[in-house]
Amino acid sequence: MAETEGGELQDGPYFRKEKIKYSPEEEARLERKHFWRIIDAFRYYRFHVQEQANRAERQFWSLPQHHQNLLPGVLPNLAQIRHCAEHNQEVLHAIVQNSLHMFENIEYGERKEDPRKVRPTSTFDMDKLKSTIKQFVRDWSEVGQGERDTSYKPIIQEIQRLFPDEQYDVSKVSVLVPGAGLGRLAWEIARLGYTCQGNEWSLFMLFSSNFVLNRCEKVNALTLYPWIHQFSNNKKSSDQTRPIRFPDVNPQSLPINSDFSMVAGDFVEVYVDSDSWDCVATCFFIDTAHNVIEYVETIWKILKPGGVWINLGPLLYHFENMANELSVELSYEDIKSAMVKFGFHIEVEKESMQTTYTENDRSMLRYVYDCVFFVARKPADLYNVEDEQQSGSPPAAKSPRRESTYSLT
């Protein structure tokens, strides 16, 4: 699950095409190191926000006294930010406590050092954690309903159109959601009766989704302050410290016979079985790839003949500006061309569907993504399709890496 160790590295001016191969012992060591690194980020959160507030306070005290006198609300607002950070830390602590033993088939063990010691973390990891906090807004709060309507609803509607319950035993229709985040899209699909599995690679997301799906039962019983890290573009000081409550539904209210699970691991390494899924649903996912064509290839392979791929999202390539990381930034036109060459039939295509992502709806700066939406089918009759492919059949998949699964309890 390591995000950097073992990834594509740069060798002189060129990127290596294959990942470094580690021994099982070294792989386990790197996974343990990564696991505890993310735990450290959760534990260090309060100190990070306190330093942000302390810096803002130092800047305020540097102003001329007559300027300070004009701003009586600044210091009380910073005090409130510190209070909100303490509350957020309590939630993050609960997430950590719930995560220490969440993976049954990987033994991370306990540290020999004092577990109460808080270790500083990188800016990269802290940014990931703050982004995860905002994911609670998107996936599990009433505030995020509008965003879910524009991002998740079109995908769900297509699944219902393609696999209507009056024509199918939907419990036998299998749907995979790679890049499941905090699990709301996959949960909503499972709530409709489909067999659904979410897949996620980020431990930030996995820890948090496990907590909300397995430990949160009472509606809107918990509170987070997701915007306290935003010191710019606030119309009101109170906007920075406003709360959101979660979960807006009881995650454990799925029908008793629901088949819903989450799997941890790299998508292309975990899912290697051919002709396994009726539907793959990707939302804001394909641009997380080092090589997006590898995602296309994997989806082609794992879909059953006649299966469908439903996608909604932009192409904000996650590794574009990261040093020593392979990143191939393709246009949608190039991706679509490759899809057709693999054999996909594009049945639905909309090149302009606007939505937001973890938006602060009171911010003076707001991003709107003009997303591509498509439904692509792997033909039921593959004989002719494979004959038509210029490059032949997709190559055999790699051996899977070790994966971890947690289910709803």
Side-chain angles (χ1 to χ4, degrees):
M1 297 170 206
E3 294 176 356
T4 53
E5 294 101 338
E8 283 77 2
L9 301 175
Q10 199 170 22
D11 184 9
Y14 303 105
F15 289 96
R16 295 179 183 175
K17 294 181 179 180
E18 298 294 335
K19 292 183 179 181
I20 296 175
K21 303 299 182 183
Y22 293 106
S23 67
E25 294 77 16
E26 181 67 5
E27 181 74 14
R29 186 191 70 81
L30 290 172
E31 286 190 351
R32 284 194 299 271
K33 180 180 178 182
H34 180 65
F35 177 90
W36 287 110
R37 196 188 93 205
I38 306 309
I39 294 293
D40 284 342
F42 275 80
R43 289 174 170 170
Y44 190 71
Y45 169 83
R46 175 177 65 248
F47 298 95
H48 171 80
V49 179
Q50 285 176 342
E51 180 51 39
Q52 280 188 299
N54 291 343
R55 177 186 178 279
E57 185 171 335
R58 290 194 298 270
Q59 301 289 348
F60 175 80
W61 287 123
S62 72
L63 298 178
Q65 183 63 54
H66 67 287
H67 288 180
Q68 294 178 29
N69 294 340
L70 297 173
L71 303 168
V74 170
L75 294 181
N77 187 60
L78 291 175
Q80 181 63 18
I81 288 172
R82 293 186 179 96
H83 173 76
C84 294
E86 293 285 346
H87 182 89
N88 283 357
Q89 186 65 68
E90 292 177 5
V91 176
L92 297 180
H93 176 74
I95 292 172
V96 166
Q97 292 304 110
N98 185 64
S99 302
L100 292 177
H101 307 288
M102 67 178 285
F103 298 129
E104 296 178 356
N105 62 333
I106 296 180
E107 180 55 56
Y108 290 109
E110 293 295 338
R111 279 179 167 155
K112 295 180 181 179
E113 303 95 334
D114 184 353
R116 295 170 296 179
K117 183 179 179 181
V118 177
R119 297 161 183 78
T121 193
S122 67
T123 300
F124 177 85
D125 284 343
M126 193 52 58
D127 287 344
K128 289 286 187 182
L129 179 56
K130 291 188 285 190
S131 176
T132 302
I133 291 173
K134 291 191 288 186
Q135 287 283 340
F136 280 92
V137 184
R138 174 178 172 86
D139 267 18
W140 296 102
S141 80
E142 294 173 357
V143 176
Q145 183 63 57
E147 198 165 280
R148 293 194 297 274
D149 285 345
T150 55
S151 295
Y152 299 164
K153 194 172 182 179
I155 293 173
I156 293 170
Q157 288 176 335
E158 278 300 313
I159 292 173
Q160 291 181 296
R161 182 183 70 83
L162 294 164
F163 304 100
D165 55 13
E166 62 267 20
Q167 297 180 23
Y168 290 83
D169 179 354
V170 296
S171 67
K172 296 180 180 179
V173 174
S174 56
V175 182
L176 175 64
V177 181
L182 297 196
R184 183 61 178 265
L185 174 58
W187 185 88
E188 292 286 358
I189 294 169
R191 184 163 70 160
L192 294 171
Y194 299 92
T195 294
C196 191
Q197 184 170 98
N199 164 241
E200 181 55 57
W201 173 67
S202 165
L203 286 181
F204 290 101
M205 297 292 188
L206 287 164
F207 291 167
S208 300
S209 64
N210 187 36
F211 174 74
V212 72
L213 290 168
N214 281 323
R215 296 294 177 262
C216 297
E217 299 181 30
K218 295 182 180 179
V219 173
N220 289 332
L222 296 174
T223 301
L224 279 171
Y225 298 88
W227 315 119
I228 59 173
H229 326 108
Q230 179 176 318
F231 283 80
S232 297
N233 290 308
N234 294 307
K235 291 182 179 178
K236 297 180 180 179
S237 298
S238 59
D239 290 343
Q240 192 176 6
T241 56
R242 77 187 190 278
I244 65 101
R245 290 177 175 80
F246 75 96
D248 63 321
V249 293
N250 177 3
Q252 299 188 34
S253 64
L254 290 175
I256 192 66
N257 59 345
S258 295
D259 189 344
F260 174 42
S261 60
M262 292 281 287
V263 169
D266 187 304
F267 169 61
V268 299
E269 296 181 349
V270 170
Y271 295 94
V272 297
D273 293 336
S274 301
D275 306 335
S276 302
W277 297 89
D278 296 299
C279 177
V280 175
T282 53
C283 184
F284 278 73
F285 172 69
I286 63 174
D287 53 6
T288 67
H290 292 276
N291 170 12
V292 66
I293 302 304
E294 190 174 29
Y295 278 9
V296 175
E297 181 178 74
T298 299
I299 293 170
W300 171 265
K301 179 180 178 63
I302 67 177
L303 276 175
K304 297 176 183 178
V308 293
W309 173 17
I310 305 171
N311 175 78
L312 187 149
L315 292 173
L316 180 64
Y317 289 102
H318 288 209
F319 296 97
E320 180 178 1
N321 297 311
M322 292 182 64
N324 301 327
E325 291 286 354
L326 173 67
S327 181
V328 181
E329 296 91 29
L330 301 177
S331 68
Y332 172 63
E333 179 184 37
D334 290 335
I335 297 171
K336 179 182 175 182
S337 175
M339 290 169 59
V340 172
K341 290 176 182 178
F342 266 101
F344 279 110
H345 291 177
I346 309 296
E347 296 186 346
V348 176
E349 183 178 35
K350 299 177 183 178
E351 294 191 10
S352 181
M353 292 188 67
Q354 295 189 346
T355 184
T356 57
Y357 192 89
T358 62
E359 180 190 47
N360 179 353
D361 61 357
R362 297 187 189 178
S363 174
M364 298 170 73
L365 177 63
R366 301 166 70 177
Y367 292 98
V368 176
Y369 292 93
D370 201 28
C371 297
V372 169
F373 177 80
F374 63 74
V375 177
R377 187 178 299 275
K378 180 178 180 178
D381 181 4
L382 292 178
Y383 179 77
N384 292 329
V385 172
E386 291 181 353
D387 282 348
E388 292 170 1
Q389 288 181 353
Q390 296 179 0
S391 59
S393 301
K398 300 174 292 183
S399 299
R401 72 173 300 186
R402 181 167 52 173
E403 67 182 78
S404 306
T405 304
Y406 74 83
S407 59
L408 299 189
T409 56

